[in-house]
Amino acid sequence: MNYKAFFNTVSTKAHCMPVVILYVTEGCNLKCLSCSYRQPMPGELTFDEIKQLAQQLSAFGLKHIVYSGGEPLLRRDFRDICNLFTLLKVKQTLLTNGLLLAKRAEEFKGVFHEIIVSLDGADAQTHNRLRGVNSFDLILEGIAKARAIGAAPQISIRTVLQKQNFRQLHSFIELAKQTGAGRISFLAADVSSEAYGRDNNPARGAVASESSMALNKDEVLELKDIIYRASIKYKNEFESGLIAESPEKLHHIAYYYAALNGSDTFPRNFCNAPMVSTVITSTGNIHPCFFLPEYGNIRKNKFNDLINSAPIIKTRGMVKGMEPDRCKKCVCTLFVSPRAALMDKF
């Protein structure tokens, strides 16, 4: 029983921090339209700094670390970083664009509980256009290699549905089946926050405009019909969990885009991410989640001092009431029930 995690879910104080998302680098080998990460940020955390951080996180109840970026597999010492958390017996998940998966899958065999590969097109033309690099075939090769060697118990696909690919929803599901992926999940495109480098930082690349990603009123109606037909055609895939979201949850994506274009209200979100998780960037900034502003830096203060500082206590209280505008428009919520927290389901 994880009583500390349980108390997290019913208060604004963190008694432990079960889930941490760590950006090991902002460097990326793709040029996605929805993200500006290109080169590593100056002064990214060194291996020794991550080693010290790992000990602090473990002492504060870390159960699950999720590697993000940028592209984690670009970092040459990434295997050494993973070893730190393996020794601490922490569950590890990799979020990757998959471009280096074929090359490095063998190196990471048995490390990750799940490898989540991001695909933005169900065919090479669409994916390569949205990702800015001819990468589709190499990514599928990486998924096949990871599955063949048993690189992780679960290989998943994650797709951001937006204006230029939403009509491929059925094709994405077919692709997941063809590749043997254990799961495929769908998100809407975040166009409201500064996450994923959408902060106009001149050190990063350019990002696409909201109008080039968000659906208009007619497209929203079309998406709703596509989802409805999918709920019938892929009934077994929904029930088996191959499709992570329920049809109702997929409809939230349509409602989100409808709200953006003013034809509906944003679907109600339920989230307690800051109570059970935190995000640490490649330069040490600490955030309540992917989308809310930083509240400190682990180079300036110890993790234990930051995690219950006044700014984050205030933020947790606001998130409980879904007060921040970004929370109302969030495309990637996390909700861990008190019971799930008590049962240590992280």
Side-chain angles (χ1 to χ4, degrees):
M1 297 288 188
N2 193 335
Y3 292 103
K4 290 183 177 180
F6 169 81
F7 286 121
N8 281 17
T9 65
V10 295
S11 69
T12 57
K13 180 180 179 181
H15 304 268
C16 64
M17 193 48 60
V19 182
V20 170
I21 298 93
L22 177 64
Y23 289 20
V24 294
T25 182
E26 281 194 17
C28 189
N29 45 3
L30 295 182
K31 300 176 181 178
C32 303
L33 297 180
S34 59
C35 172
S36 72
Y37 293 151
R38 302 290 186 269
Q39 299 298 320
M41 287 292 286
E44 293 190 326
L45 295 173
T46 66
F47 174 78
D48 286 339
E49 287 177 312
I50 294 175
K51 184 177 181 179
Q52 293 176 15
L53 174 63
Q55 293 297 328
Q56 294 178 47
L57 296 177
S58 177
F60 208 71
L62 178 67
K63 300 292 183 179
H64 186 183
I65 188 157
V66 181
Y67 301 108
S68 186
E71 173 49 50
L73 291 174
L74 277 175
R75 185 151 171 164
R76 293 181 180 180
D77 61 355
F78 184 41
R79 185 64 173 87
D80 296 326
I81 292 170
C82 293
N83 286 345
L84 296 173
F85 293 95
T86 298
L87 291 172
L88 295 170
K89 302 186 184 306
V90 171
K91 182 166 73 172
Q92 301 176 70
T93 293
L94 172 64
L95 304 181
T96 176
N97 63 36
L99 193 53
L100 290 174
L101 199 52
K103 182 178 181 180
R104 299 195 70 180
E106 192 78 47
E107 182 184 349
F108 290 90
K109 183 178 178 180
V111 171
F112 304 115
H113 172 77
E114 183 177 12
I115 297 173
I116 302 173
V117 181
S118 180
L119 277 173
D120 276 355
D123 56 59
Q125 181 180 6
T126 305
H127 178 85
N128 294 343
R129 181 177 70 250
L130 293 175
R131 291 305 179 96
V133 173
N134 291 332
S135 55
F136 183 77
D137 292 336
L138 286 172
I139 293 168
L140 294 191
E141 180 185 338
I143 293 173
K145 176 68 175 293
R147 287 195 67 247
I149 68 170
Q154 175 135 303
I155 312 294
S156 304
I157 292 172
R158 178 168 293 170
T159 295
V160 175
L161 289 179
Q162 45 119 315
K163 180 185 284 285
Q164 300 183 55
N165 69 4
F166 76 93
R167 295 183 178 90
Q168 295 185 335
L169 175 62
H170 292 206
S171 298
F172 278 118
I173 298 169
E174 291 295 336
L175 181 62
K177 294 166 67 175
Q178 292 165 16
T179 59
R183 181 174 66 174
I184 183 167
S185 61
F186 297 96
L187 297 172
D190 172 61
V191 297
S192 304
S193 78
E194 296 177 351
Y196 311 114
R198 296 179 61 85
D199 57 359
N200 298 314
N201 187 328
R204 300 189 176 110
V207 293
S209 63
E210 176 179 332
S211 61
S212 68
M213 293 191 293
L215 278 60
N216 61 35
K217 294 180 180 180
D218 290 337
E219 290 167 338
V220 167
L221 293 176
E222 189 176 353
L223 176 58
K224 288 180 178 179
D225 180 64
I226 291 170
I227 295 170
Y228 172 72
R229 287 188 285 110
S231 70
I232 298 171
K233 182 177 180 180
Y234 297 107
K235 182 176 183 292
N236 292 338
E237 286 78 2
F238 279 108
E239 292 178 349
S240 70
L242 174 67
I243 305 170
E245 294 79 20
S246 65
E248 291 76 20
K249 190 68 180 292
L250 283 182
H251 273 293
H252 279 214
I253 297 176
Y255 297 144
Y256 164 80
Y257 284 121
L260 284 180
N261 65 45
S263 58
D264 208 331
T265 58
F266 285 99
R268 185 180 180 187
N269 283 331
F270 297 91
C271 183
N272 60 358
M275 294 72 166
V276 295
S277 68
T278 196
V279 174
I280 300 174
T281 72
S282 65
T283 53
N285 291 333
I286 186 167
H287 294 249
C289 65
F290 285 111
F291 307 104
L292 293 174
E294 69 188 69
Y295 59 92
N297 188 287
I298 61 165
R299 282 172 164 157
K300 297 178 181 178
N301 300 95
K302 289 184 177 181
F303 179 80
N304 287 24
D305 296 330
L306 289 168
I307 205 66
N308 280 312
S309 58
I312 185 59
I313 292 290
K314 180 180 178 180
T315 295
R316 290 188 188 119
M318 294 174 67
V319 170
K320 275 182 174 291
M322 285 288 112
E323 295 175 31
D325 187 60
R326 290 183 183 180
C327 294
K328 296 172 184 176
K329 299 178 180 178
C330 187
V331 301
C332 186
T333 58
L334 170 67
F335 181 79
V336 179
S337 71
R339 179 178 175 81
L342 181 64
M343 299 303 294
D344 213 16
K345 293 185 176 181
F346 296 105

